[in-house]
Amino acid sequence: MADELTTPAENTWCPGCGNFGILNAFKKAIPKLEQHGIDRKHLVISAGIGCHGKIFDYVPLSGLYSLHGRSMATVQGIKLGNPDLKVLTFAGDGDAFGEGISHMIFAAKRNADITVIVHNNGTYALTTGQFSPTSGKGFKGPSLPSGNVEEPLNPLSLMLEAGASFVARGYAGRIDHLADLIVEAVLHEGFSYIDVLQPSVVFNNTYKEYNALVEIIEKPAGRLEDAVQLAKRFDRLPIGVLYKVSKPVYHKELYGKWNPAVNRLMHEERKRRIATYLSERLQK
Amino acid sequence: MAGGLQGCKTFFINGGYGIKPMNDDVFTYLIGGKAGQGTKKAGIVAANFFSALKRNVFQMNDYPSLIRGGHNFSLVSTATRKIYSQYMKADLAVLLDQRSYTIHRDHLTENGVLVYDSTAVKQGQGIGLPIASLAKNYADPDLIVGVTGIAVLAAVVGADRAKLDTLIQKEYRRSAEDNLKFAHEIYDEAEKKITQRFELREGKETHPILAGAETIGLGASAAGLDLYFAYPMTPSTPILHFLAAQAKQLGVVTVQPENEIAVANMAIGAAFTGARSMVGTSGGGFCLMQEAFSLAGMVEALVVFFLGQRPGPSTGVPTYSEQGELLFSLYPGQGEFPRIVASPGSIEEAFYVAAELLDLAWRFQTPAILLSEKHLTESSMNVDLDIEKIRAAAPDMHTSGIYQRYRQTETGVSPLLFPPSDAMIKWNSYEHDEQGYTSEEADVIARMHVKRRTKQESLIRYLREKVQTVNEYGTGDPCVFTFGSTTMSVREAVLHAGLSCTVVQPIYLQPFPSWNLMKYVGRKAVVVEQNCTGQLEQLLREKTGITPISSIRQFNGRPFNPVDLAEQLRKVIG
Ligand SMILES: Cc1ncc(C[n+]2csc(CCOP(=O)(O)OP(=O)(O)O)c2C)c(N)n1
Ligand code: SF4
């Protein structure tokens, strides 16, 4: 369905892919964010490399299409450059928890004011379905035809332990719910993480299972331990905000109200300051 | 003696080589001890002392990669003329422990004075002072010995006690009273025992003493640096520390992320917002940045990468100096895109080159490398910086019409816009069309390759027309080719021995300024560099056909001693 948020880029996702749900949820979130005073030009996106990353071309927003596993670092750089911008990135589970896991942990640890949306499909889809950090044991892919021999990571509890101040789970099959999560995550000041259950119809078709198991939770857990408990439930799959807490954010801790791109010192002022510095260094 | 040097000691370190003494008044001070004994600080204080006499100084600190113990020393050479290197033989050596004594006892000039700690060294030759046993009466005996160096220096150059006191009050503010008392004890002992005195002539003018790390930080911030990202790695760390300490004054924010991959990617993200960004690292860290370097080439990000060399391969020798990464620095990152590499030939020049690279990175929207060495970042000398020469790094901005991030232009450079903007600004690591959307179309791929190649051609044109890419010092044959901090060693050797030759130093190494070097083809050439395989030599040969009759290489982690280098050059010159 073409709308004002459609771009000329040809959409190449497989029909029925969970990525469509995420794209549509994001498109719904944009006008809602505008109602909250966040205009489109202040919304800047990034993406990793994988099927998920193609979303970069499918929304007409400014941003930087990054490397595999590095978009979390990219958006932290954008935020540090100009903290007036709201930054969010779309990452794959391989992207975020394989190649780029260090950036995820540190972004959460330092409470960088960014939003990371992981399209968690439990496989390296674009590279044709190998097992990923979140694939279950026994998952069969071309690089291990007899089945994955590793246990999966639990991204939610990992992010909670790393210090994320906002942790949520959404489902690509619940678009409106996901749209609201995205709005809330972007509005949250600090590191916000949304793990999106994303069926890959080709390599890991989980629609049936998710439809049966997801359960909306209305309220975040009050305590971290309870949120971790929620993250570790497998009988039901709770979706919604699992945990949300207010903490000092990284760029403000680092440089207060400064804005490097906006407040940058003018040339004459720089020269004056350097001249002062040099005269102070002179031995008299 | 010519040139009004009467009353001043004139001496020549190289007596043994039979080089005719020149009109020169270099004085070298050496202080050695364990890490933690404040030898570097003592070197700095001595340098400041010389500088207050309006003399020029060059200070080099030699220290292994450890925090306490080991063997550290600081060499400060001073002259009334400009001086570009430390000398390895001292006129005054102050040695605070047995190890320093064993290593340095012979590193003296003909009339050199050696002062050692007689508590630590048994049966030493020279002047023994009971430094450690005197220090025992103080609250922190280990720390207090650091002040010995300056007390002995004052005695040896005939500075009175009042002068010594002023110096200590200024330089050793922490527990100044103890330091004063201890310094007096040492000074009095030294006065009694030292017979040889040196008179240091006053020079004409003085300039601040700065390390290369400082001039690089200042140059970059003069050109507009806003954000500096780095993960600690010697020898780039001093830039991080300097900028962090001066952050408020210079309006620069420093960031220490989780690893070099984050460093480089964050810097590219920051550049996307219009903030002037730079990263600092050494070889190992730069290896980790390769993919991001290539990303910068593709998205056309404007980031300066500082690459500080130390002996490699691998972890190598962290706190020493080498030029083994010249060839590595020329083509980092996968794929074809314009790269800029420049290496400053002095601590002073580092200021201008850092600023110029920031400007070039922004002008041509491509990553630039500032290639240097430990010998430059961590050594210091007097520098006369002309801030008026610095241009602000100003990109070509989009002004009107429909915005396209990768618009085709005559120069290959597409005007910039930064968010927030009503226009859509897409930087893309995939091959992309003019708008920034991913593309796999054959004609788009070819078109964008041509765009980047056109940019490279514009860059070369600009360097040819507007930028000093090669330095030349002196006249006559042979031509001595060198680069980076080795230029300082070569210039000092030439000055020291009064050699007649032309020193040629390419500042820019990528694009290689062949247009400025072809004129040397056919002349007798020598290449001096600090690596084992002759990388500058290979590059010269490949790009210009210049083939040296001789190459002088040192690859033991230590910078050249100008006296030895002069001797080697003299052999070639004949
Ligand atoms: C450094 C690097 N290594 C490997 C690749 C190849 N690669 C592209 S996408 C991908 C995995 C994608 O998996 P995921 O991040 O889960 O995204 P998905 O395709 O499932 O959305 C890999 C390994 C790459 N682009 N860069
Ligand atoms: S391979 Fe899987 S993840 Fe990729 S587009 Fe197709 S269905 Fe979606």
Side-chain angles (χ1 to χ4, degrees):
Chain A
M1 180 193 69
D3 51 37
E4 46 116 21
L5 285 172
T6 302
T7 70
E10 184 197 356
N11 192 309
T12 56
W13 284 324
C14 309
C17 171
N19 282 322
F20 285 103
I22 301 176
L23 173 63
N24 290 331
F26 183 49
K27 284 183 172 183
K28 285 193 170 193
I30 293 170
K32 290 188 185 200
L33 282 165
E34 281 175 328
Q35 284 165 17
H36 282 95
I38 296 172
D39 63 25
R40 256 171 241 199
K41 59 184 179 187
H42 280 89
L43 206 54
V44 168
I45 60 170
S46 183
I49 303 299
C51 288
H52 66 272
K54 296 178 176 189
I55 197 170
F56 184 87
D57 285 331
Y58 304 155
V59 280
L61 291 180
S62 292
L64 202 166
Y65 204 156
S66 182
L67 297 168
H68 183 46
R70 311 300 169 199
S71 69
M72 300 72 79
T74 307
V75 289
Q76 287 180 74
I78 296 174
K79 187 74 192 182
L80 283 169
N82 185 347
D84 292 347
L85 301 172
K86 287 281 176 188
V87 294
L88 78 171
T89 184
F90 301 89
D93 45 297
D95 202 64
F97 296 107
E99 197 79 273
I101 189 167
S102 59
H103 311 308
M104 290 298 288
I105 291 175
F106 278 86
K109 168 187 177 285
R110 58 174 77 101
N111 200 28
D113 190 11
I114 66 172
T115 297
V116 180
I117 298 172
V118 168
H119 303 214
N120 187 352
N121 56 14
T123 181
Y124 284 178
L126 190 62
T127 47
T128 67
Q130 299 85 356
F131 69 93
S132 88
T134 60
S135 301
K137 196 165 181 179
F139 175 88
K140 291 195 171 73
S143 62
L144 247 186
S146 55
N148 180 17
V149 296
E150 300 176 32
E151 290 291 340
L153 275 177
N154 183 326
L156 291 166
S157 59
L158 184 66
M159 288 295 94
L160 285 165
E161 293 291 357
S165 55
F166 180 106
V167 175
R169 175 151 63 195
Y171 173 34
R174 296 271 193 286
I175 294 174
D176 287 319
H177 180 256
L178 180 57
D180 288 339
L181 285 183
I182 294 174
V183 171
E184 201 175 339
V186 173
L187 292 176
H188 174 75
E189 196 186 33
F191 181 77
S192 48
Y193 173 67
I194 308 177
D195 192 71
V196 185
L197 301 171
Q198 181 240 316
S200 161
V201 288
V202 178
F203 298 114
N204 197 15
N205 195 342
T206 43
Y207 275 119
K208 232 193 235 153
E209 184 189 334
Y210 290 156
N211 284 336
L213 291 178
V214 296
E215 186 174 282
I216 292 177
I217 49 166
E218 299 296 344
K219 240 176 62 188
R223 300 184 318 155
L224 183 63
E225 302 83 270
D226 298 334
V228 173
Q229 284 288 309
L230 276 176
K232 291 186 173 170
R233 273 188 71 171
F234 297 105
D235 55 332
R236 312 293 300 161
L237 293 172
I239 58 171
V241 181
L242 271 58
Y243 188 63
K244 185 177 175 176
V245 64
S246 174
K247 283 205 277 191
V249 295
Y250 178 61
H251 66 273
K252 289 190 181 166
E253 292 289 284
L254 195 65
Y255 54 63
K257 286 191 172 25
W258 187 250
N259 183 324
V262 173
N263 303 139
R264 55 191 321 274
L265 297 182
M266 290 299 100
H267 192 50
E268 289 309 313
E269 176 64 10
R270 285 174 186 271
K271 291 201 300 195
R272 197 186 61 72
R273 291 185 180 205
I274 291 169
T276 308
Y277 177 81
L278 290 173
S279 73
E280 281 164 5
R281 287 295 301 270
L282 205 61
Q283 293 303 314
K284 284 166 203 121
Chain B
M1 245 174 0
L5 284 175
Q6 285 86 349
C8 149
K9 174 195 157 276
T10 317
F11 73 93
F12 311 96
I13 309 174
N14 51 311
Y17 293 125
I19 294 176
K20 200 162 155 272
M22 300 170 42
N23 173 3
D24 208 344
D25 62 351
V26 175
F27 175 88
T28 296
Y29 169 77
L30 184 162
I31 174 139
K34 295 192 195 63
Q37 284 187 320
T39 53
K40 182 176 170 187
K41 168 78 183 172
I44 293 171
V45 177
N48 289 344
F49 173 75
F50 299 136
S51 190
L53 292 172
K54 297 194 166 61
R55 294 175 66 91
N56 288 306
V57 300
F58 190 99
Q59 180 182 4
M60 184 201 75
N61 304 304
D62 183 302
Y63 63 100
S65 186
L66 48 75
I67 305 300
R68 287 282 177 271
H71 166 64
N72 286 10
F73 68 95
S74 183
L75 273 169
V76 186
S77 290
T78 172
T80 47
R81 63 162 169 87
K82 196 123 191 171
I83 181 163
Y84 295 96
S85 171
Q86 78 294 341
Y87 281 77
M88 299 310 289
K89 290 200 172 178
D91 297 286
L92 171 61
V94 180
L95 305 172
L96 299 174
D97 68 336
Q98 175 71 53
R99 196 146 147 198
S100 307
Y101 177 81
T102 311
I103 294 171
H104 296 294
R105 67 179 155 208
D106 297 327
H107 297 168
L108 287 183
T109 59
E110 223 171 304
N111 302 316
V113 174
L114 189 156
V115 174
Y116 63 90
D117 182 358
S118 56
T119 332
V121 179
K122 299 293 163 227
Q123 293 171 336
Q125 280 176 3
I127 296 160
L129 302 179
I131 299 166
S133 51
L134 289 174
K136 279 213 187 79
N137 308 324
Y138 292 84
D140 197 337
D142 272 348
L143 218 61
I144 198 107
V145 298
V147 84
T148 304
I150 199 66
V152 173
L153 177 64
V156 168
V157 301
D160 58 21
R161 254 170 85 156
K163 201 155 202 173
L164 176 66
D165 290 3
T166 328
L167 203 61
I168 288 173
Q169 273 151 356
K170 189 169 120 213
E171 303 278 2
Y172 289 95
R173 293 210 190 122
R174 245 189 300 163
S175 51
E177 225 165 87
D178 271 4
N179 277 317
L180 265 180
K181 212 171 129 209
F182 184 68
H184 288 164
E185 289 193 64
I186 298 289
Y187 183 84
D188 294 343
E189 286 280 323
E191 277 274 85
K192 269 186 262 162
K193 293 195 178 156
I194 293 170
T195 49
Q196 169 89 0
R197 293 274 188 292
F198 298 88
E199 204 175 302
L200 294 178
R201 187 166 53 124
E202 280 216 19
K204 285 201 197 66
E205 51 172 0
T206 185
H207 297 290
I209 304 171
L210 298 183
E214 296 171 297
T215 55
I216 289 167
L218 290 171
S221 67
L225 183 69
D226 299 307
L227 280 155
Y228 184 80
F229 298 86
Y231 187 82
M233 189 169 188
T234 308
S236 66
T237 314
I239 302 176
L240 173 64
H241 290 180
F242 170 69
L243 289 174
Q246 302 303 326
K248 283 242 160 64
Q249 166 90 349
L250 300 177
V252 176
V253 172
T254 56
V255 184
Q256 183 193 314
E258 57 272 25
N259 53 40
E260 286 86 351
I261 299 178
V263 164
N265 283 286
M266 282 190 189
I268 293 167
F272 174 76
T273 70
R276 276 51 164 178
S277 323
M278 177 166 165
V279 309
T281 188
S282 180
F286 192 59
C287 288
L288 293 177
M289 295 182 181
Q290 298 297 293
E291 194 192 16
F293 193 88
S294 177
L295 172 69
M298 185 56 143
V299 300
E300 307 195 29
L302 355 88
V303 177
V304 173
F305 291 71
F306 173 77
L307 170 54
Q309 298 164 95
R310 62 198 216 183
S314 194
T315 308
V317 196
T319 58
Y320 288 85
S321 209
E322 195 170 277
Q323 298 183 304
E325 277 139 37
L326 167 57
L327 295 180
F328 172 48
S329 75
L330 300 181
Y331 299 100
Q334 73 271 28
E336 299 175 298
F337 60 92
R339 299 153 170 96
I340 308 172
V341 182
S343 185
S346 72
I347 291 169
E348 205 165 82
E349 190 169 72
F351 176 74
Y352 303 105
V353 173
E356 195 165 71
L357 283 179
L358 206 69
D359 182 40
L360 286 173
W362 280 80
R363 198 174 283 275
F364 293 97
Q365 300 181 30
T366 206
I369 296 173
L370 176 51
L371 179 72
S372 190
E373 312 84 3
K374 181 263 176 185
H375 185 49
L376 188 134
T377 57
E378 299 198 17
S379 299
S380 38
M381 65 185 284
N382 302 78
V383 291
D384 181 11
L385 304 179
D386 183 359
I387 191 137
E388 294 307 325
K389 280 195 189 149
I390 303 295
R391 203 172 23 204
D396 186 3
M397 294 300 293
H398 172 76
T399 45
S400 63
I402 293 170
Y403 181 69
Q404 286 190 311
R405 167 63 184 112
Y406 298 108
R407 202 179 88 206
Q408 299 284 352
T409 62
E410 234 166 73
T411 56
V413 178
S414 315
L416 287 167
L417 259 187
F418 301 118
S421 165
D422 289 324
M424 185 190 76
I425 308 158
K426 277 189 185 296
W427 291 20
N428 195 336
S429 92
Y430 276 107
E431 190 57 277
H432 40 255
D433 63 16
E434 282 71 7
Q435 199 62 57
Y437 288 116
T438 306
S439 177
E440 297 179 345
E441 299 295 322
D443 59 330
V444 176
I445 297 170
R447 209 158 70 215
M448 284 297 158
H449 267 298
V450 172
K451 171 182 167 11
R452 290 186 289 268
R453 193 182 65 201
T454 306
K455 209 165 70 159
Q456 166 90 2
E457 289 158 4
S458 309
L459 166 66
I460 292 175
R461 208 174 321 119
Y462 185 85
L463 288 176
R464 283 183 88 127
E465 288 166 10
K466 301 260 169 66
V467 177
Q468 172 147 8
T469 51
V470 176
N471 283 330
E472 186 187 286
Y473 305 102
T475 52
D477 274 353
C479 295
V480 181
F481 291 91
T482 188
F483 77 106
S485 65
T486 304
T487 312
M488 296 192 288
S489 314
V490 173
R491 289 175 73 186
E492 186 61 29
V494 168
L495 270 178
H496 163 76
L499 301 176
S500 152
C501 60
T502 309
V503 178
V504 184
Q505 173 224 346
I507 308 167
Y508 281 79
L509 299 157
Q510 177 74 293
F512 196 69
S514 310
W515 58 89
N516 272 332
L517 294 167
M518 293 313 286
K519 63 173 180 243
Y520 302 106
V521 174
R523 286 177 62 178
K524 196 166 142 188
V526 181
V527 181
V528 184
E529 53 190 315
Q530 218 193 322
N531 58 51
C532 183
T533 54
Q535 300 190 19
L536 177 64
E537 186 178 326
Q538 286 175 52
L539 191 60
L540 266 176
R541 202 190 301 252
E542 179 198 319
K543 301 282 186 185
T544 65
I546 292 171
T547 305
I549 51 155
S550 174
S551 23
I552 300 173
R553 300 175 194 161
Q554 179 160 302
F555 38 87
N556 57 4
R558 274 68 181 170
F560 283 99
N561 177 8
V563 177
D564 300 342
L565 183 55
E567 181 62 13
Q568 281 179 278
L569 283 170
R570 186 176 287 280
K571 275 189 204 142
V572 179
I573 293 169

